[in-house]
């Protein structure tokens, strides 16, 4: 019984290894790019639009609303990153309906890479809104003693993001494999349906947590900038 798609190796030479995780990751990326090109090449602005355009407009509006509800004022600035994260994870997870398929999110290397993207995106958006000094000052708030704790917090939440998604997807695949060996007809179908639901929920949780971390960095820097502006105005 395999615990991770990393264990299925197609080609290996030295330290270079092509395993199932890499193959499925690239397959999902190609699928997303091709679908985006096909869907966006005939977009219309009138009332008469295709069902696909209507569906994806609803999806974009829904993601924008979620980002705004969490506290990011201009969701269009963040939907490129957060929307891509959500779509990649959810497509990776729902493709489990294919019999040969194992989701790349069942590999710790994939979930760690996604978590590192969030780890880098937090300071990127924080600095873009408040500047380098404004963002770095948030690490010594309310006092400089908090610096190591704030750094540890950034690292631990990144690890938690990676392990949470990996653990849920890996355990789901493991349960399906066990039930398949016990009752090969009924339970696998039920577990596939539950796996689809779990995959969508996990993609949603990952995207929401990423948004919360980015919103916290942007909002904290914005508060400090506002306080500084207020103090300067009082002095003048």
């Amino acid at each position: 019984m395999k615990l991770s798609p990393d264990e299925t190796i197609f080609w290996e030479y030295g330290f270079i290894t092509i395993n199932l995780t890499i193959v499925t990751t690239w397959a999902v990326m190609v699928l997303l790019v091709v679908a985006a090109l096909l869907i966006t090449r005939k977009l219309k602005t009138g009332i008469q639009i295709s069902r696909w355009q209507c569906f994806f407009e609803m999806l974009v509006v829904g993601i924008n609303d979620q980002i705004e509800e969490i506290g990011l004022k201009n969701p269009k600035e963040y939907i490129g990153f957060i929307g891509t994260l959500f779509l990649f994870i959810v497509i990776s997870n729902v493709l489990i309906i294919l019999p040969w398929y194992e989701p790349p999110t069942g590999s710790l290397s994939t979930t760690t890479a996604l978590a590192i993207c969030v780890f880098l995106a937090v300071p990127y958006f924080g600095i873009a809104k408040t500047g380098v000094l404004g963002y770095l000052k948030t690490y010594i708030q309310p006092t400089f003693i908090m610096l190591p704790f704030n750094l540890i917090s950034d690292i631990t939440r990144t690890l938690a993001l990676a392990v949470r998604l990996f653990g849920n997807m890996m355990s789901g695949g493991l349960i399906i494999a066990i039930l398949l060996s016990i009752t090969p007809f009924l339970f696998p179908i039920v577990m596939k349906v539950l796996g689809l639901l779990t995959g969508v929920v996990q993609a949603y949780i990952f995207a929401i947590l990423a948004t919360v971390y980015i919103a916290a960095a942007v909002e904290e820097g914005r508060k400090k900038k506002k306080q500084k502006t207020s103090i300067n105005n009082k002095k003048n």
Side-chain angles (χ1 to χ4, degrees), residues 21 57 61-62 65 74 88 112 121 128 142 147 160 185 189 217 234:
T21 299
E57 284 185 2
V61 171
D65 289 343
N74 190 4
F88 175 78
T112 301
L147 176 62
F185 298 108
I189 297 174
K234 288 180 180 178

Side-chain angles (χ1 to χ4, degrees), residues 56-75:
F56 282 103
E57 284 185 2
M58 291 171 60
L59 182 63
V60 169
V61 171
I63 295 174
N64 274 334
D65 289 343
Q66 287 292 311
I67 293 173
E68 197 165 12
E69 285 180 9
I70 290 174
L72 294 171
K73 301 298 181 184
N74 190 4

Side-chain angles (χ1 to χ4, degrees), residues 6 21 46 54 63 82 89 109 113 116 123-124 151 168 206 209 222 230:
D6 290 346
T21 299
C54 182
I63 295 174
I82 295 170
I89 297 172
S109 57
I116 289 174
Y124 172 78
L151 292 174
N168 281 287
F206 194 96
L209 287 176
R222 186 182 295 159
S230 178

